[in-house]
Amino acid sequence: PLFRLCEAVDWCTGTNKHGYIMHLTAPKLLGYGYVTPHQMDSMCSLAIVRNPYSRMVSIYGYNRFGKRETFKMFVRRWKKLMTPYLLEGEKEEWYTPCHLLPMFEFTHSDGKQLVQSVVKQEELKFLKTKEGGETLQQEDSTVTNLPDLVRDALLGMPHTNRRATSKKWFDYYDQETMDLAYQMYHTDFQVFGYDAAIPQRPDLVPPRKDRRSGLGATKFHQFSRNSCMGPDNLRISNADLFRSVTKEERSKMFRRSSTTALKSSIVALDKAEILASVAGIRHISILKEDSTEMDQSSAHENKKDD
């Protein structure tokens, strides 16, 4: 809490007015005005996802409190940090750090995929060479049917940030940590088609989804390798979806940064909500700077659609 209280918004979001884009979800990129609905609809976008269990081990290596914090200690602490998100779906950075968010929050909004292509990290090995990608054309793989631009960008991409570990990711788990990881990221298993079991650990019982979870009520479309491709192999427009997401994200921002909300959080001495309000106010000031440009762009898009 002390460190969060001392953090400055500029430090957390970057030194430029648009913030640290790599840590933003697709809905926030639209809501904060980093990309317009028209740009999102016309460009090629992708997201790389991975097995939630192996991702949890990677998160541990990056966010643990030194070597003295065991994997079990870390996963228990991580679950507590995730409480605002699990109970209320809170995605504001002051409550839920970006590394803690499930992967689908970066790619989807209300169950609908926003990024054009989703690729599984485990299958990038098949894109080390053109021949490797061609061998999967007849298989059910996320590297098949990718747009040419995405395939070319991923082809031969080096793995430069590999972290050396003393054991395989699946050896970190016991039954408790496996259950906790699944509770936190069960929707990622569902959306991206990952097995709740760990094949390398037959001694562990695969967890089951908690029916009491409120987040599980959202219905998701099956993730797509090319969500902009229609049945006739022609690009379809998702501009209406992107405009809707932009409007919803900005409405949340305005509600959170309202004078009434800020006064209420100050009276309640809710430090996290005060910081969230300040962050919202900052983003709104950015949006106001670009409001004329955004309005003109939106008007142009609507005119084209008509």
Side-chain angles (χ1 to χ4, degrees):
L2 177 60
F3 289 108
R4 289 193 174 188
L5 182 62
C6 295
E7 286 172 344
V9 174
D10 287 338
W11 174 262
C12 291
T13 60
T15 56
N16 63 69
K17 73 173 185 176
H18 293 305
Y20 200 44
I21 297 179
M22 290 189 295
H23 284 177
L24 295 180
T25 64
K28 287 185 177 180
L29 285 172
L30 286 164
Y32 294 169
Y34 297 118
V35 293
T36 67
H38 174 69
Q39 290 171 331
M40 191 74 171
D41 192 47
S42 59
M43 69 183 182
C44 191
S45 61
L46 74 124
I48 299 175
V49 299
R50 67 187 300 182
N51 185 299
Y53 290 134
S54 67
R55 181 187 179 226
M56 186 76 253
V57 175
S58 177
I59 291 173
Y60 164 64
Y62 187 80
N63 292 276
R64 64 180 177 178
F65 285 145
K67 295 182 179 180
R68 290 181 178 272
E69 185 174 32
T70 66
F71 184 63
K72 179 175 290 189
M73 293 167 58
F74 175 82
V75 174
R76 289 172 176 172
R77 177 170 65 86
W78 206 243
K79 176 70 181 301
K80 291 181 180 179
L81 280 175
M82 205 176 190
T83 299
Y85 174 81
L86 293 175
L87 294 181
E88 302 176 14
E90 180 60 69
K91 295 183 285 288
E92 172 58 53
E93 185 80 12
W94 300 112
Y95 289 97
T96 309
C98 57
H99 290 113
L100 204 150
L101 284 173
M103 294 178 289
F104 79 89
E105 293 288 5
F106 288 86
T107 60
H108 288 65
S109 177
D110 291 331
K112 297 178 182 178
Q113 184 172 319
L114 299 184
V115 299
Q116 180 177 352
S117 301
V118 172
V119 182
K120 289 185 177 180
Q121 184 201 53
E122 295 82 6
E123 294 176 336
L124 289 178
K125 60 186 177 183
F126 297 113
L127 285 174
K128 288 186 177 181
T129 63
K130 291 184 178 180
E131 292 75 17
E134 292 171 356
T135 62
L136 293 180
Q137 291 300 317
Q138 303 303 321
E139 299 182 25
D140 184 18
S141 165
T142 56
V143 301
T144 61
N145 302 321
L146 287 174
D148 291 338
L149 187 60
V150 173
R151 182 186 297 276
D152 292 342
L154 295 175
L155 191 62
M157 182 177 65
H159 190 174
T160 58
N161 65 337
R162 185 187 299 272
R163 182 183 291 106
T165 57
S166 59
K167 54 186 178 182
K168 300 291 186 179
W169 65 263
F170 46 81
D171 287 329
Y172 283 83
Y173 282 93
D174 59 15
Q175 191 64 56
E176 179 188 354
T177 52
M178 182 184 190
D179 291 343
L180 288 174
Y182 186 80
Q183 290 172 22
M184 288 186 279
Y185 300 111
H186 64 81
T187 304
D188 281 342
F189 286 93
Q190 169 196 345
V191 174
F192 302 116
Y194 282 104
D195 191 352
I198 300 179
Q200 301 91 334
R201 295 293 304 277
D203 56 311
L204 301 179
V205 179
R208 293 185 178 182
K209 180 180 175 181
D210 187 353
R211 295 180 179 273
R212 296 171 297 178
S213 173
L215 293 175
T218 302
K219 292 184 178 180
F220 287 84
H221 298 289
Q222 184 179 13
F223 82 92
S224 173
R225 303 163 186 110
N226 192 353
S227 62
C228 295
M229 187 66 66
D232 53 359
N233 292 325
L234 296 176
R235 187 181 178 98
I236 60 176
S237 174
N238 290 315
D240 288 341
L241 171 62
F242 299 143
R243 279 193 284 266
S244 175
V245 172
T246 300
K247 183 178 180 180
E248 176 61 25
E249 288 297 313
R250 293 190 178 184
S251 295
K252 294 177 184 176
M253 200 186 310
F254 274 92
R255 287 196 299 269
R256 168 151 278 164
S257 62
S258 67
T259 303
T260 302
L262 182 57
K263 286 182 178 179
S264 177
S265 59
I266 292 175
V267 171
L269 296 179
D270 189 336
K271 296 177 182 178
E273 190 61 33
I274 292 172
L275 293 171
S277 297
V278 172
I281 291 170
R282 177 180 182 273
H283 286 303
I284 287 175
S285 67
I286 293 173
L287 291 175
K288 286 181 178 178
E289 289 182 36
D290 301 328
S291 60
T292 302
E293 178 183 347
M294 291 287 291
D295 290 341
Q296 290 176 348
S297 175
S298 179
H300 178 66
E301 294 167 28
N302 291 332
K303 184 177 182 180
K304 286 178 60 180
D305 292 341
D306 294 340

